[in-house]
Structure formats: C-alpha cells, structure tokens
Amino acid sequence: MAFGLSWPYLIIGCIFASLARASDIADVYPPLWKESPGQFSDYKIENGKYIINFWHYPERLGTYKILLNKTAKYFAKFSPENEQNILWGLPVHHGWQYQTGRLADPTESTDCGHKSGDHLCISVDSWWANLNYYLSAMPFLAAVDSGIMGIPSDKVIFLPLPKDQMNFCYNVSSCHSSFPEAMKKWNEFYQHVKSHSSSFDDLLEYLWAAHVSSLEIARKNFHNRLKYYSKQEADFERSWALFVDYLAPPLFPTTLIRTYEFQKELPKRMLMNEDRAPFIHDFSGFQNTVLFALSVLHKVHKYTGKRHRDLFICKFYTLC
Ligand SMILES: *[C@@H]1O[C@H](CO)[C@@H](O)[C@H](O)[C@H]1NC(C)=O
Ligand SMILES: *[C@@H]1O[C@H](CO)[C@@H](O)[C@H](O)[C@H]1NC(C)=O
C-alpha cells in the first residue's frame, strides 16, 4: 500500500514516528537567536540606509528574525506564538550550519568561522554559507520589496565582499536583475502570505517553489566549492542538495518544531574521510540512517540518472 507514497515521506515518517515532541521549546531556536538583531534599528545606518553584513552570523540571523517577526501576523491564523510560520525552516537550518562548523572557511587559510578564531564570521568559501546566502538575502529582500517589512525597497543594502562579487547581490534592484526568476518566486510567495484566502498548504507550495528556484542557481554557482571538503562531506553536500529537491514536492512543513526535530537527525559535525555511514560511532542510529539513506539516494541518482522510488521504499522498510 505504501508504494503509492514517495520515498521522502518514508524517511520523514520514520523519523517522526520515533521522535518525542521537543520538550524544551527554548532549545529549538538557532544559536544566538536572542542576542541577534531583531529590528532594523539594530543595524548600522549610513546615508539613511541600513547596512547589513551577511558574512557575520548574528547579522544574517537577524534578518531572519526580522522576517519572522514581520510575517508573524499572517501566520497567526494557523497557530499561536508563530510556531506554524513556515519561514522557520530557514533560520533553524542556518543555526544547524553554524553549530556544526559548516559556515567556517573550509580551506582553513583564514580563521573565519572557526571556533578558535573569528567564530561569528561566515566564510565566502563555505558551500553551505553560499547556498544559504540565496536562501537568506533573497527571501529577505523580496520581503522588503513586497512591502512586508515596512521600509522602502532602497533603504537596505548588504556589505559587498572583496571576493566573488558577481555571485551575490546586495540590494533589491541588483537581486532582481541578477536573479529575476528566484526573486519573482519569492515575491509571489509573499503576495500569497499577504492574502487572507491562502491556505497553509498553498503557502507551503509557494515557499518551496521559491526555495527550489534559489537553490537551483546556487548549486550551479557554487559547485566549485565542493573541492574544499573531505570526500564524505562533499558527497553529503551533493546528496543534501538533491534531497531538498525531492523534499520540496511532498511539501514538508517547515514549521519551527518540525524542522528542529528533523534536523536533529542531520550530521552534527563536518564529515571526515574516514566516516562511513551507517557506522559512524559518535552519531546516533538515526543520524547514521539518514546519512546512509542520503548517500544511497545520491548513488542511485548518479548511476541511473533517474529517480528510483520503489527501490528506496524497499530499502527504507528494512531500515526503519
Ligand atoms: C516584533 O518585534 C517587536 C520589536 O522588537 C516586538 O515588540 C514585537 O512583540 C514582535 N512581534 C512578534 C509577533 O514577535
Ligand atoms: C544596488 O547594487 C548595485 C550593484 O551592486 C548598485 O549599482 C546600485 O547603485 C545599488 N542600488 C542601491 C539603491 O543601493
């Protein structure tokens, strides 16, 4: 009977079935959530514009915090306390990237993002940080552009980096001209957020469409960063990106608690060459299972070039 389901439901189902509800709501928030900027006036102002440094973890996280705050009223109809705001998926996942060392400089030529060095720094060489740029800068600026943030479109700019400027955009107009399709999708999402008649499932569908659109460009533009990582971590990155492609169509609800519970099962540190899922001794059984499942997905995709749902379904039955 389960053969009619797509397999990502099964992994997710397996995980949820065996997890207790998060008992302490305080630790579901990303690291440094409380300390990060929560309003525009917490950022630097120059010539009447807010200047945001997206390569500093609290400042990037703060943009999510403002976004969650400004969209809260539209999600109030789904639950109290903003818990069902589906934008939670973005900062919660970013918090995992920070916590697990994935925003640090993978080349180790600088101390950016490393615990012993400038630990709040986000490295422009980090594959994770670059993908996340498209999933933070774009949703944030599109929200400004669609009027949700309550400031004019030209009031906010991001600090440019000395390196690789072409791959990023720094304000509403330059993001529109560099990445028109993704910005259009994010704008569409916010138009539906603002509409009273949108259902939860409608919003999820528009969110995922925008997410996939950002990710598609990001994957192409930052493929060259994979070489900085151990083979295991680079494989995980490829399979994660593929997985998010699969995850989107079933419309995984990226609310606060659901995302938090799901990503507890993701690798809790960077992977090293000698790590072999499902036998990584400092990972839990589920963390091993998820990593192994992701690598199977990636291998099958690589060798056949297509999606073998039935095979996965059989595998997951034996795993969980
Ligand atoms: C949004 O932020 C403002 C200012 O920090 C705060 O007063 C307000 O309660 C927040 N709203 C929500 C829904 O979190
Ligand atoms: C936006 O960024 C572009 C390119 O970086 C720049 O040319 C333009 O002046 C900026 N616009 C505003 C309003 O800051």
Side-chain angles (χ1 to χ4, degrees), residues 1 10 12 79-80 110 137-138 174 214 217 225 233 253-254 310:
M1 51 145 196
L10 283 167
I12 295 162
S79 77
T110 69
M138 286 191 211
S174 75
S214 275
I217 335 165
R225 304 292 200 264
E233 179 70 14
T254 47
D310 294 352

Side-chain angles (χ1 to χ4, degrees), residues 5-300:
L5 293 173
S6 67
W7 71 267
Y9 276 126
L10 283 167
I11 312 184
I12 295 162
C14 279
I15 292 167
F16 284 141
S18 53
L19 286 176
R21 300 265 315 160
S23 49
D24 184 1
I25 187 97
D27 43 69
V28 304
Y29 294 103
L32 303 180
W33 183 253
K34 247 174 102 175
E35 296 85 344
S36 296
Q39 45 200 351
F40 283 105
S41 56
D42 293 337
Y43 288 97
K44 212 161 65 186
I45 303 182
E46 253 170 44
N47 302 323
K49 292 183 204 286
Y50 299 108
I51 313 284
I52 303 179
N53 179 3
F54 261 67
W55 303 96
H56 184 69
Y57 173 72
E59 293 206 20
R60 193 184 289 199
L61 193 66
T63 65
Y64 284 135
K65 204 166 151 185
I66 297 175
L67 186 60
L68 266 296
N69 178 290
K70 300 286 188 189
T71 52
K73 65 177 179 205
Y74 305 106
F75 286 89
K77 62 186 174 190
F78 304 122
S79 77
E81 310 278 335
N82 210 18
E83 198 278 317
Q84 295 281 307
N85 190 327
I86 51 179
L87 286 162
W88 273 119
L90 296 170
V92 172
H93 187 66
H94 188 51
W96 168 83
Q97 295 173 333
Y98 170 75
Q99 198 153 36
T100 58
R102 288 186 162 84
L103 301 176
D105 180 357
T107 70
E108 310 217 6
S109 58
T110 69
D111 69 0
C112 176
H114 290 284
K115 283 218 167 62
S116 53
D118 187 358
H119 65 282
L120 297 176
C121 175
I122 298 181
S123 170
V124 68
D125 287 319
S126 156
W127 179 88
W128 295 97
N130 289 331
L131 258 69
N132 181 264
Y133 191 93
Y134 286 33
L135 293 169
S136 53
M138 286 191 211
F140 180 76
L141 289 177
V144 170
D145 194 32
S146 57
I148 281 181
M149 305 295 237
I151 59 165
S153 289
D154 61 355
K155 278 270 297 200
V156 55
I157 52 178
F158 303 156
L159 276 186
L161 276 177
K163 187 177 166 181
D164 263 345
Q165 297 206 354
M166 292 304 291
N167 279 330
F168 304 98
C169 59
Y170 304 98
N171 58 44
V172 171
S173 59
S174 75
C175 282
H176 270 300
S177 52
S178 303
F179 309 108
E181 191 55 29
M183 285 295 282
K184 193 178 115 219
K185 290 259 164 60
W186 283 108
N187 265 329
E188 265 166 27
F189 166 66
Y190 291 118
Q191 294 316 318
H192 286 88
V193 165
K194 290 201 287 185
S195 153
H196 292 295
S197 59
S198 298
S199 70
F200 185 81
D201 288 345
D202 290 340
L203 295 181
L204 210 46
E205 203 173 319
Y206 285 104
L207 176 76
W208 274 112
H211 190 284
V212 167
S213 182
S214 275
L215 205 59
E216 240 168 47
I217 335 165
R219 280 169 68 179
K220 271 190 218 119
N221 287 359
F222 301 113
H223 193 74
N224 61 358
R225 304 292 200 264
L226 294 174
K227 63 175 180 286
Y228 299 138
Y229 293 88
S230 72
K231 179 182 181 307
Q232 302 302 330
E233 179 70 14
D235 282 350
F236 171 55
E237 290 167 359
R238 287 189 194 94
S239 47
W240 175 251
L242 188 64
F243 179 66
V244 180
D245 246 7
Y246 274 82
L247 195 61
L251 302 176
F252 178 79
T254 47
T255 56
L256 178 58
I257 308 269
R258 299 288 285 275
T259 309
Y260 167 78
E261 292 197 339
F262 177 64
Q263 75 173 20
K264 271 201 304 207
E265 307 311 333
L266 295 180
K268 59 184 180 182
R269 56 165 172 78
M270 300 270 279
L271 299 174
M272 299 177 292
N273 277 328
E274 53 281 14
D275 286 330
R276 292 284 179 274
F279 306 112
I280 303 174
H281 63 87
D282 59 333
F283 283 14
S284 71
F286 263 126
Q287 287 170 340
N288 270 300
T289 304
V290 168
L291 192 56
F292 181 67
L294 286 169
S295 74
V296 173
L297 157 71
H298 185 236
K299 284 202 182 82
V300 171

